[in-house]
Amino acid sequence: MQYKSQAVAKPYFIAAIALFTGQILFGLIMGLQYVIGDFLFPAIPFNVARMVHTNLLIVWLLFGFMGAAYYLVPEESETELFSPKLAIITFWVFLAAGAITILGYLFVPYAELARMTGNDLLATMGREFLEQPLPTKLGIVVVALSLLFNIGMTVLKGRKTAISLVLVLGLLGLAVFFLFAFYNPANLVKDKFYWWWVVHLWVEGVWELILGALLAFVLIKVTGVDREVIEKWLYVIITMTLITGIIGTGHHYYWIGAPEYWQWWGSVFSALEPIPFFMMTIFAFNMVNRRRREHPNKAATLWALGTGVMAFIGAGVWGFLHTLAPVNFYTHGTQLTAAHGHMAFYGAYVAVVLTMISYAMPILRGRAANSEKAQVMEMWAFWLMSISMIFITLFLTGAGIVQIWLQRISSAPMSFMAVQDQVSIFYWMREGAGMIFMIGLVVYISSFFVKGNKAVA
Ligand code: HEM
Ligand code: HEM
Ligand SMILES: [Fe+2]
């Protein structure tokens, strides 16, 4: 650790991993409810578990991004963080708000929660991924502003690098587009239209800048390749991201009542979105092949390469599968969508946060890299989680194809629920793969507790 204030990243990373565990637990509960309909009913209904699963995902990824920013920016800027104290206060505020929100979902009926939290003053609740009560949403804005202020001031007083500028731009975009969570027009077409400005413009826009910056940072560290080379790649990747991703939002406008020209704009531009993801993979492998040093942290290098590959498959390939309007006409809102959502979120954002944690956490604990044994465990965790995620994706894709066939294409279409019965074997297999994912996560967490990890400096 070069700067003392980088230490504020540590609680963020720990909270991220703890919430990640909660997310997977609720995934497994829902996976079981898919095949045993009244499992844990009425204690934890499916809709509540779903909200907890997806909200925990978003919140822990935000913890990961924030920890990564607090770690990366001082080092890039070659100066201490503007205010480590503010970063720690922000941490506790966010953790408390997150925990109270999840407990609210679990223990208060949703309509009651809406009443208690001022949803009649400004109605923002009830939309997928944006279910948070108003005070939580405001809390997210405050936390994001505090982060932006803190790292913005740090960048301003120190060295300005391409990596920190791209990261700040990404985080700024994250905060700005979140504001559309507060805009909830009664007109359903407009509602959906702007809802995607958060959901799509996050994951296929500004978050990709964060992804690119974090990946570039870790690659510089573990490969020792010249900054100039890495920065050129980063610029090209983010330019391609913005060119394709912004108008690519149109792939969500096909059937919501937006003008018909979106079928063309959405199809053409989103079909190009895999390009920046493909470039990230080439980038990572290229840099590792040209490495100028053998960094002792092999696990972090594996995560960095894995991020490129898994993001390309999940977002690029599985996204492309259903992105053209004539295809999406049949596949819209089926298990194929869920297959893509899982692999893309895992491959891009889960993986990049774990890459950053893998690189930074040993350093935060006073050593360049973990012991051989701890790294071997961590690499096992990488393979267990990544391969089981590939299987989750394949099983959901299988379910999706059968669903599309029986429900949408067949000359005698079956009803939704009759089709769900037909594909239950896939759901059982998805649950099995999910359990292996959980085992991978337990191995991952255990790798932090391996004994004999001596401090080197
Ligand atoms: C890391 C980046 C990405 C993530 C995390 C992601 C995640 C998701 C998620 C969670 C959904 C479901 C949203 C919902 O209806 O609730 C979705 C839908 C969709 N994604 Fe992505 N995605 C990514 C990149 C891409 C890319 C690059 C493409 C195209 C090449 C794409 C194409 C689509 C399409 C067409 C849908 C709508 C599916 C439908 O009509 O049901 N995605 N994505
Ligand atoms: C890091 C790993 C995971 C990520 C990133 C993730 C992400 C997501 C996302 C983005 C959604 C919303 C999907 C959509 O609307 O299309 C979702 C829903 C869901 N996830 Fe996960 N998930 C993960 C692990 C798991 C695991 C291990 C299981 C269980 C085996 C699971 C089971 C489910 C279920 C059942 C749903 C609800 C699907 C529906 O509404 O029909 N997830 N997850
Ligand atoms: Fe999208």
Side-chain angles (χ1 to χ4, degrees), residues 36-48:
I36 306 176
D38 51 9
F39 176 67
L40 287 186
F41 188 82
I44 307 179
F46 179 84
N47 65 314
V48 172

Side-chain angles (χ1 to χ4, degrees), residues 20 23-24 27-28 30-31 34 46 50 53-54 57 128-129 335 337-338 341-342 345-346 350 389 392 430-431 434 437:
F20 180 21
Q23 183 222 330
I24 299 309
L28 289 173
M30 264 194 297
Y34 246 84
F46 179 84
R50 193 182 198 284
H53 180 65
T54 53
L57 169 67
E128 192 199 355
F129 296 114
Q335 292 297 328
T337 307
H342 277 86
F345 256 113
Y346 174 80
V350 171
M389 185 45 79
I392 290 179
R430 179 262 299 271
E431 186 69 357
F437 190 100

Side-chain angles (χ1 to χ4, degrees), residues 222-284:
V222 298
T223 66
V225 170
D226 276 347
R227 187 174 277 279
E228 291 70 42
V229 180
I230 288 191
E231 286 175 349
K232 269 187 206 129
W233 275 93
L234 184 59
Y235 278 130
V236 181
I237 288 173
I238 67 153
T239 307
M240 283 311 294
T241 296
L242 295 174
I243 292 177
T244 61
I246 296 175
I247 301 179
T249 317
H251 65 182
H252 302 294
Y253 293 164
Y254 300 154
W255 330 114
I256 63 168
E260 209 171 308
Y261 54 75
W262 281 115
Q263 310 232 339
W264 282 100
W265 289 102
S267 296
V268 171
F269 279 83
S270 69
L272 300 174
E273 282 183 42
I275 295 172
F277 284 102
F278 186 62
M279 289 178 66
M280 267 186 246
T281 313
I282 305 289
F283 170 49

Side-chain angles (χ1 to χ4, degrees), residues 128 204 251-252 270 273 315 319-320 322 328 332-333 337 340 344 348-349:
E128 192 199 355
E204 291 159 71
H251 65 182
H252 302 294
S270 69
E273 282 183 42
F320 182 77
H322 58 168
N328 192 267
H332 181 57
T337 307
H340 155 68
Y349 301 116

Side-chain angles (χ1 to χ4, degrees), residues 296-324:
N297 194 339
K298 299 273 176 282
T301 313
L302 177 64
W303 275 111
L305 293 173
T307 305
V309 174
M310 298 291 283
F312 173 63
I313 303 177
V317 178
W318 253 258
F320 182 77
L321 276 181
H322 58 168
T323 207
L324 300 174

